Amino acid sequence: LTLSDISDGMLRDARRALGARDSRFSFAAFDCEKIPASSESYDLVIANHVLFYCDNLDAVCSEILRVLKSGGVFVCSTYSSRHMKEINDLVQQFDDRIELSAERLYEQFGKENGEAILGKYFGEVSWHGYEDELVVEKAEPVIEYVLSCHGNQNRYIVDRYKEFAAFVRKKTEGGFHITKDAGVFLSL
């Protein structure tokens, strides 16, 4: 098994977690637009929540197709526009200027457009959703998550933190339901 990431730090963490001496694994840092492997090298390629970060999906899909053996399988996970929608709705109710992310990653590659993107390269593409939801009964995890996002929320929350915390506590009383709409595309 070759475990890869563009980040050496992520690979370092994987080595620590799996054990660097485990001969079943090799580790390689590279950009998935240029996979350093011979054509038809792999039976299976897995991209776990990564394609929406790629700038050139055509190059990535071409490379994956190149390194897959005939009959090989490509599995890639992603989520939909509904994933964790309630968190966005919550912060928008508090202050409609808040955007938790400058990018809507699912628009780059998500449940709604993934089949069309992958269908240009693979003969069979199917979606396998993972039905799930999260029920949060305490405000603190929601507050911490919101503050950790990559958007502009800190500009509008930090000075009003107590007000925001009270708002979230009220919304989480009795449980706060969060949609988890994610899954995998299986491509053959």
Side-chain angles (χ1 to χ4, degrees):
L1 297 172
T2 302
L3 304 176
S4 68
D5 197 281
I6 199 166
S7 163
D8 286 318
M10 291 296 285
L11 292 173
R12 180 196 62 235
D13 292 348
R15 278 188 201 94
R16 286 180 186 157
L18 296 171
R21 293 189 180 110
D22 191 328
S23 62
R24 296 175 298 168
F25 304 107
S26 64
F27 302 87
F30 59 83
D31 185 325
C32 55
E33 288 184 21
K34 295 180 181 160
I35 301 172
S38 301
S39 296
E40 298 188 26
S41 296
Y42 296 103
D43 297 305
L44 173 67
V45 173
I46 300 171
N48 190 19
H49 279 70
V50 71
L51 291 186
F52 41 64
Y53 292 117
C54 298
D55 292 329
N56 186 341
L57 284 173
D58 288 325
V60 171
C61 289
S62 293
E63 271 298 273
I64 291 167
L65 192 59
R66 181 187 68 77
V67 300
L68 274 175
K69 292 179 182 176
S70 178
V73 178
F74 176 48
V75 178
C76 57
S77 60
T78 191
Y79 54 88
S80 83
S81 61
R82 295 179 342 112
H83 186 68
M84 298 182 68
K85 181 181 181 318
E86 295 81 1
I87 297 285
N88 283 316
D89 292 346
L90 176 81
V91 297
Q92 288 280 297
Q93 288 170 15
F94 180 73
D95 189 320
D96 63 5
R97 298 172 293 177
I98 296 174
E99 292 288 335
L100 293 180
S101 176
E103 300 174 30
R104 289 177 170 78
L105 295 175
Y106 58 82
E107 291 176 356
Q108 173 76 359
F109 182 85
K111 177 183 176 182
E112 292 84 357
N113 63 5
E115 186 173 353
I117 292 168
L118 296 171
K120 293 187 279 183
Y121 300 90
F122 298 93
E124 292 180 44
V125 177
S126 57
W127 171 256
H128 302 269
Y130 181 71
E131 296 295 324
D132 198 8
E133 76 171 345
L134 181 63
V135 179
V136 181
E137 297 177 348
K138 295 181 180 178
E140 287 71 23
V142 174
I143 294 166
E144 289 172 14
Y145 174 77
V146 166
L147 294 176
S148 74
C149 290
H150 300 288
N152 67 2
Q153 70 282 356
N154 290 326
R155 183 181 321 158
Y156 302 107
I157 293 174
V158 172
D159 291 339
R160 299 169 57 200
Y161 180 82
K162 287 183 181 180
E163 180 186 351
F164 180 69
F167 176 79
V168 174
R169 282 189 194 95
K170 184 174 181 180
K171 293 290 187 177
T172 56
E173 285 176 1
F176 183 70
H177 293 258
I178 302 170
T179 300
K180 291 171 61 182
D181 191 10
V184 297
F185 282 104
L186 196 63
S187 303
L188 311 169

